[in-house]
Amino acid sequence: MIRLRWLFAIFPIFLLSFAFAEGTRTWEQSRFEELSKGTTKGVAVRSTGGLELAPAFTALSTTPSTYIWSIAADREGNLYAAAGSPARVYRITPDGKSVVIFEPQELQVQALAVDKSGVIYAATNPDGKIYKIEHRAVPATQGSKDKKSSDKAKDSQEKPASAADSAWSSSVYFEPGTKYIWDLALDDAGNLYVATGDRGEIFRVTAKGEHSVFFKSDEAHIREVAFDGKGNLIAGSDGSGLVYRISPGGDGFVLYSAPKKEITALAIDKAGNIYAAGVGEKRGGTSVPTFTPAPVSMPTVPSSPSAGPQSGIVITASPSAPAGISFPGPGTGAAGGSEIYRIAPDGSPSRVWSSREDIVYALAFDQHGRLLAGTGNRGHVFAITGDDEFTDLLKASATQVTAFANAPQGGIYASTSNLGKVFLLSATPESEGSYESDVFDAHNFSRWGRAEFRGAGNVELFARSGNVDNPDRNWSPWQKIELRKDGAVSVPPARFIQWKALLRSGDPAPRVESVMLNYLPKNVAPDFDEVTVQAGVRYQALPKPAGVDLSAGGVQQPHFDTPPPATHDRDSIGVKWSVHDDNDDQMLYGVYYRGDADTRWLLLKDNLTDKFYSFDASLLPDGGYTIKVVASDAPSHSPGQALTAEKESLRFEVDTTPPQVENLTASAEVDKIHVTFRAVDSFSNIKRAEYSVDAGEWQFVEPVGQLSDSKTGSYDFRVAAPADRATSLTVKTPGQLEHVVVVRVYDRYDNMSSAKTVIRGK
């Protein structure tokens, strides 16, 4: 038997790499998942892969408010923005000039609607009202008087009652008596429809100011309302994610129960298709997809049964409102990402878009009929072009894109929160855009070869390299890649690289389909972690995957380690090693051994592809040994370019020869049996000895001197002679009986031998 003097800890080895290293390698980027990790400026990323120029997107106005929840435009293209923290209504002209026209006492201006005559209806929250805001002419003397009053208030360090432009008047138009007002919509007759919560009611207020409950839902909140081409009011709820179609007479019909709990946006195209955005996970009853919660950058507050929606934003109180009041915002804090559904004119629903990360706050159509989705909490705008096909158009310099409105010349106004800004999304693309790829880590110092480009139009490609993962830390300057020539990437050899594309408008329109960089890592030797030798273990070879060539020059060797099955075999020695290669090269292994007194290594087995090997212990004479494993990356390199590494195990001992029993004698005395013998082992110490008399139980016996610490041991002992149990008729003395004495001895490695002697009776 064999045993190690020292044992290594054994750890399972898991997946190492999916790639197979064979000389020159490539880094290609073409898919959305890869390109979306880069940095865009005026460039859009298609879900089907590739880059194109994005629509021009310019900042029009930055407001003092943190949140803009709703925007609406009048016939002249002036934009009105409903804001919170502080609560205001801003009027923003097409050239970006902004003025406050309304500042309520409530914490939030949630929704806006502008009628044909330019009258503005503004809804406030919480416990809010509908205000009617109108423009009025202000006499010059009155304006002077207002200025003097303002100066007087400033001198006395008192804030004016309102920062609103005095050219605009406001009055309470309607008080629904509900906790929240979520959305407003005007029909062709000038009737105003008010979506509310916490009782799920929609009110209708006529042009004369008469009001009534138009529709009562069993949901807690009606979040969104919009009119279709037939005069029906389409409404979305929070709670069960219902989309209603409500006739002009107030009869409601549930068109769709969405998998998500809250409908945050609605849009209806010219063909009558209804698009609804849903967020949040339903609680029980309905099976919904499981998504990773989107990161929420706005603080949330706990909800209560009377506090409206479960997720919300803490809205900072305005100077004129009580401090410490929290207010929930639509869709904020929702977990599980979002989805967009299309309800066809025949009522059939389908999902057209989904995201695990982005929460949809707004939907609209651009000049080309594409569905735009404004999202948070990364501030992206997506253009939905088909079922699960989209373009990541742009990223705003704010956290949430919350609303859209039509702008002059086919453009789209877009509002944001965190910070409260207004942007203009043009109907035409940018004249120039740039894209910087994600940083690529080759994991080793590498030489960079040619670039391979697929695309069209006016596109220039650049590259830079460095040896730290941050390009701002002393990388090489951008070097242009001459795509029309050899496409050489003239950057210094380094571990990291990055490419940049400049797209300029023209005919054909510029686009990037894919960029591939060729590179050659500098070869480095394999690196061992450990070599472990175990006695009494035999490792079983695993089945090889189809197509794997196990010859010395084989290719497509799997680059993952599965712990080999091990069986107990006391006559075997198992060797296992852990090694990695920074180049992910394929490996061949050789196993060698050397005895304590030997000066050279002897080969046990070479051309191994597994990271383990078992062999019979009887191949080695008794003695002390060391195993050495040599790893070579030759299968991945040309002759003469391969590198090797080696590692030795700790010393172990092999002992397969049992000890010998010598000079065994046994004699009968009056009532005792006297036994003597000698145990001898050629390599290891005697561990223990045992005896049995007349097939009795084995009994331990100590050597002379009691210590078992030598390759030899002398044993001299007396035991009581057992009585004859074979007969009860004749009584004999112990000296008259015949006895069988058996002894057995073990060495340190549990190799055992035995001997027997017989005492003849008289």
Side-chain angles (χ1 to χ4, degrees):
M1 182 59 186
I2 51 180
R3 178 171 298 174
L4 293 181
R5 176 164 293 177
W6 302 99
L7 294 177
F8 284 93
I10 304 172
F11 300 95
I13 304 172
F14 297 100
L15 186 67
L16 293 182
S17 175
F18 293 100
F20 298 102
E22 295 293 339
T24 300
R25 308 183 195 184
T26 59
W27 172 46
E28 181 178 11
Q29 288 198 299
S30 61
R31 298 183 302 165
F32 176 82
E33 294 77 9
E34 300 160 346
L35 295 172
S36 61
K37 297 177 182 178
T39 302
T40 61
K41 184 178 180 182
V43 169
V45 185
R46 299 192 301 268
S47 64
T48 54
L51 307 172
E52 62 188 19
L53 284 175
F57 190 67
T58 56
L60 189 65
S61 177
T62 299
T63 73
S65 297
T66 304
Y67 313 107
I68 296 180
W69 292 117
S70 177
I71 55 176
D74 62 18
R75 292 184 173 182
E76 287 74 37
N78 299 301
L79 187 70
Y80 302 90
S85 190
R88 290 174 176 175
V89 173
Y90 298 92
R91 181 179 186 269
I92 304 169
T93 61
D95 60 358
K97 295 179 180 178
S98 174
V99 64
V100 177
I101 64 171
F102 177 58
E103 187 174 34
Q105 297 297 312
E106 291 81 25
L107 296 182
Q108 187 92 336
V109 182
Q110 181 68 42
L112 285 178
V114 180
D115 68 14
K116 297 175 182 179
S117 63
V119 174
I120 304 155
Y121 298 93
T124 61
N125 276 331
D127 298 320
K129 309 173 181 66
I130 306 293
Y131 289 88
K132 185 176 183 180
I133 306 171
E134 300 175 276
H135 186 268
R136 64 183 177 188
V138 180
T141 55
Q142 181 64 42
S144 175
K145 181 179 179 181
D146 290 344
K147 184 177 184 302
K148 292 179 180 179
S149 298
S150 176
D151 291 342
K152 182 178 180 180
K154 184 176 181 181
D155 292 340
S156 61
Q157 298 183 350
E158 294 180 359
K159 179 177 172 56
S162 174
D165 188 338
S166 59
W168 295 81
S169 66
S170 62
S171 60
V172 176
Y173 183 65
F174 172 55
E175 294 187 60
T178 60
K179 194 167 187 63
Y180 303 111
I181 302 173
W182 294 121
D183 200 12
L184 301 175
L186 284 162
D187 65 13
D188 292 338
N191 298 307
L192 182 67
Y193 293 80
V194 183
T196 69
D198 47 16
R199 298 195 297 268
E201 296 173 324
I202 300 176
F203 294 87
R204 177 168 59 190
V205 185
T206 67
K208 296 180 180 180
E210 299 170 347
H211 60 83
S212 61
V213 175
F214 173 69
F215 176 74
K216 177 69 172 71
S217 168
D218 59 0
E219 294 280 89
H221 301 271
I222 301 296
R223 282 295 205 180
E224 296 289 321
V225 286
F227 282 99
D228 67 11
K230 298 180 180 180
N232 299 306
L233 186 66
I234 308 302
S237 76
D238 177 22
S240 301
L242 303 181
V243 179
Y244 297 92
R245 181 180 63 211
I246 307 168
S247 70
D251 297 322
F253 177 75
V254 175
L255 288 173
Y256 184 49
S257 176
K260 298 291 186 179
K261 68 178 288 289
E262 179 182 350
I263 302 300
T264 55
L266 292 170
I268 305 167
D269 66 14
K270 296 178 180 178
N273 294 292
I274 300 168
Y275 293 86
V279 306
E281 303 297 345
K282 288 184 176 179
R283 292 186 175 182
T286 304
S287 176
V288 297
T290 301
F291 294 126
T292 303
V296 178
S297 59
M298 292 185 289
T300 61
V301 294
S303 64
S304 63
S306 61
Q310 187 167 17
S311 56
I313 311 172
V314 176
I315 302 298
T316 305
S318 64
S320 58
I325 298 177
S326 62
F327 172 73
T332 57
S338 60
E339 299 177 335
I340 297 176
Y341 315 100
R342 179 180 58 230
I343 304 171
D346 64 1
S348 59
S350 61
R351 190 187 70 176
V352 297
W353 181 87
S354 66
S355 172
R356 293 189 177 101
E357 297 178 321
D358 302 286
I359 302 296
V360 177
Y361 290 93
L363 295 174
F365 296 97
D366 67 7
Q367 186 185 41
H368 308 290
R370 298 184 301 180
L371 180 67
L372 302 182
T375 70
N377 292 299
R378 301 184 301 155
H380 284 246
V381 175
F382 296 91
I384 315 300
T385 54
D387 290 359
D388 292 320
E389 290 189 6
F390 59 91
T391 301
D392 188 348
L393 283 184
L394 53 93
K395 183 183 185 305
S397 56
T399 307
Q400 294 88 17
V401 179
T402 54
F404 294 118
N406 290 329
Q409 301 177 348
I412 298 287
Y413 289 123
S415 65
T416 64
S417 290
N418 283 305
L419 301 166
K421 298 182 179 182
V422 174
F423 297 85
L424 176 62
L425 182 66
S426 175
T428 58
E430 295 274 11
S431 60
E432 181 177 299
S434 66
Y435 172 85
E436 290 186 12
S437 74
D438 192 20
V439 171
F440 175 67
D441 183 2
H443 299 290
N444 288 285
F445 185 81
S446 301
R447 290 168 48 203
W448 306 101
R450 293 177 54 253
E452 300 179 39
F453 170 82
R454 285 193 303 110
N458 189 349
V459 178
E460 291 183 317
L461 208 62
F462 300 82
R464 61 179 177 179
S465 63
N467 286 301
V468 291
D469 57 4
N470 184 352
D472 295 329
R473 299 183 63 187
N474 301 103
W475 275 35
S476 69
W478 288 108
Q479 296 290 330
K480 185 176 181 180
I481 301 172
E482 297 296 342
L483 297 174
R484 298 180 184 273
K485 296 181 181 179
D486 58 358
V489 181
S490 301
V491 297
R495 172 175 171 174
F496 300 94
I497 198 168
Q498 185 182 33
W499 60 267
K500 177 174 70 173
L502 291 182
L503 289 73
R504 295 185 175 91
S505 61
D507 188 14
R511 70 176 187 274
V512 175
E513 300 296 342
S514 73
V515 173
M516 180 187 292
L517 301 183
N518 293 272
Y519 68 101
L520 179 65
K522 181 178 177 60
N523 191 26
V524 294
D527 186 13
F528 276 93
D529 298 317
E530 64 175 358
V531 174
T532 303
V533 181
Q534 279 194 294
V537 169
R538 179 172 293 276
Y539 295 119
Q540 305 297 319
L542 295 170
K544 302 299 178 184
V548 174
D549 183 355
L550 298 180
S551 65
V555 295
Q556 296 299 301
Q557 178 179 334
H559 280 219
F560 55 87
D561 295 328
T562 301
T567 58
H568 176 69
D569 184 350
R570 68 186 308 271
D571 296 323
S572 293
I573 297 176
V575 184
K576 187 168 60 174
W577 54 93
S578 173
V579 62
H580 63 273
D581 184 84
D582 288 343
N583 299 109
D584 273 341
D585 288 336
Q586 297 178 68
M587 297 290 190
L588 288 177
Y589 306 101
V591 179
Y592 298 80
Y593 74 96
R594 186 177 66 185
D596 287 347
D598 297 336
T599 58
R600 65 188 185 95
W601 293 97
L602 301 177
L603 178 67
L604 271 173
K605 186 69 174 178
D606 61 357
N607 288 337
L608 292 170
T609 56
D610 293 323
K611 295 181 180 179
F612 55 87
Y613 179 64
S614 302
F615 62 94
D616 291 335
S618 59
L619 294 175
L620 303 181
D622 294 352
Y625 294 90
T626 305
I627 291 289
K628 179 175 73 173
V629 180
V630 178
S632 169
D633 59 10
S636 293
H637 296 279
S638 301
Q641 301 298 315
L643 297 176
T644 62
E646 59 185 47
K647 189 173 181 64
E648 299 178 15
S649 72
L650 290 179
R651 179 183 179 275
F652 65 98
E653 293 180 348
V654 174
D655 185 354
T656 58
T657 305
Q660 300 299 313
V661 177
E662 298 178 351
N663 304 325
L664 173 62
T665 63
S667 59
E669 297 181 350
V670 178
D671 58 351
K672 302 282 185 180
I673 295 176
H674 182 200
V675 181
T676 63
F677 67 92
R678 187 169 180 264
V680 179
D681 192 272
S682 61
F683 178 71
S684 61
N685 292 345
I686 302 300
K687 180 180 178 181
R688 73 180 189 276
E690 298 173 328
Y691 71 90
S692 170
V693 178
D694 295 344
E697 296 290 337
W698 289 103
Q699 300 292 326
F700 173 78
V701 61
E702 292 179 337
V704 175
Q706 296 184 322
L707 286 174
S708 297
D709 59 356
S710 174
K711 297 178 184 178
T712 62
S714 296
Y715 296 83
D716 189 335
F717 60 94
R718 289 175 174 80
V719 297
D724 186 4
R725 297 187 298 271
T727 176
S728 59
L729 300 176
T730 304
V731 178
K732 298 180 180 181
T733 64
Q736 296 175 318
L737 298 179
E738 183 177 277
H739 299 284
V740 178
V741 177
V742 181
V743 297
R744 62 185 184 186
V745 293
Y746 294 84
D747 64 15
R748 179 175 292 170
Y749 299 104
D750 288 331
N751 298 301
M752 184 271 292
S753 67
S754 62
K756 178 181 73 173
T757 186
V758 178
I759 302 175
R760 304 297 178 181
K762 296 179 181 180

